């Protein structure tokens, strides 16, 4: 058991390294391979260890995301991630990070389904339920707030394509991004960026309906300007800030 725990903890560190490499656009294949070897060996020794199953699920999620982002088929890895995380939260229902990872996994599955022309609504619902579970246990979980907001904005776009009213989801997304800004400084730039985009879409909808849109668009411009100021490399935020003015 001690060997398994040590390998699982080493794998957890490797997964953190892989996430940093992903953010800077570097290859993560070798890092993921080493993490998976450690986690698979640990799971053989302790199949009912929630920590191991959680991180094994995260490793599968990262593999799926890398494949899907590169245009490859990542469906098998995504389903394996969902299955591993389902076991993790069954073994330890209080593991908020595992619930949040479950939300990310089903969000990825939904994104892939939408890109394939399949109906993503069931996956959206599963993602939402997992984020709600995480935030019900820890309302100040910044990453879950940010990612639930992104999911809500994505669902809003899907509803617009179906001719349904996206306003409630957009308003919910704005609320989640606002709360993420309040509780977790790690996600300040992304929360400003995402809230600005959601407010921009909401303001443009209000304008098309003949409603007063200026306050919403002004708030969108302020958010996107702040995101661009904090991250000068983000030219897109500056462009959208101009569109909101």
């Amino acid at each position: 058991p001690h060997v398994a725990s040590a390998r699982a903890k080493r794998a957890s560190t490797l997964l953190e390294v892989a996430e940093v490499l992903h953010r800077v656009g570097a290859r993560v294949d070798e890092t993921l391979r080493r993490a998976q070897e450690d986690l698979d060996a640990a799971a053989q020794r302790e199949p009912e260890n929630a920590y191991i199953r959680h991180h094994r699920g995260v490793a599968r999620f990262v593999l799926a995301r890398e494949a899907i982002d590169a245009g490859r088929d990542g469906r098998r890895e995504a389903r394996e991630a969902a299955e591993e995380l389902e076991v993790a939260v069954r073994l330890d229902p209080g593991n908020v990070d595992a619930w949040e990872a479950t939300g990310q996994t089903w969000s990825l599955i939904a994104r892939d389904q939408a890109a394939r022309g399949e109906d993503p609504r069931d996956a959206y619902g599963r993602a939402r339920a997992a984020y709600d579970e995480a935030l019900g246990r820890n309302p100040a979980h910044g990453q879950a707030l940010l990612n639930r907001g992104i999911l809500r904005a994505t669902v809003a776009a899907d509803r617009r394509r179906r001719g349904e009213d996206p306003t409630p989801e957009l308003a919910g997304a704005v609320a989640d991004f606002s709360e993420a800004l309040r509780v977790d400084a790690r996600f300040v730039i992304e929360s400003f960026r995402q809230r600005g985009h959601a407010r921009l879409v909401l303001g443009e909808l209000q304008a098309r309906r003949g409603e007063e849109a200026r306050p919403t668009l002004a708030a969108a411009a302020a958010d996107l300007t702040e995101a661009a100021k904090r991250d000068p490399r983000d030219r897109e935020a500056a462009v959208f800030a101009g569109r909101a003015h």
Side-chain angles (χ1 to χ4, degrees), residues 89 93 96 99-100 127-138 148:
V89 296
V96 176
W99 283 112
E100 196 280 329
R128 174 63 183 270
Y131 287 135
D132 287 351
E133 189 71 38
L135 289 164
R137 295 173 183 279
N138 179 7
R148 188 175 70 176

Side-chain angles (χ1 to χ4, degrees), residues 186-232:
R186 294 176 301 163
F187 303 109
V188 165
I189 295 173
E190 189 62 19
S191 295
F192 272 123
R193 181 185 296 118
Q194 294 291 345
R195 190 175 70 175
H197 282 294
R199 281 174 162 167
L200 176 59
V201 174
L202 188 57
E204 289 177 341
L205 281 171
Q206 290 170 339
R208 290 194 191 101
R209 293 169 179 166
E211 301 168 4
E212 175 56 73
R214 284 175 294 182
T216 306
L217 291 171
D223 281 345
L224 292 163
T225 299
E226 186 65 26
K229 183 171 73 174
R230 290 171 179 263
D231 182 5

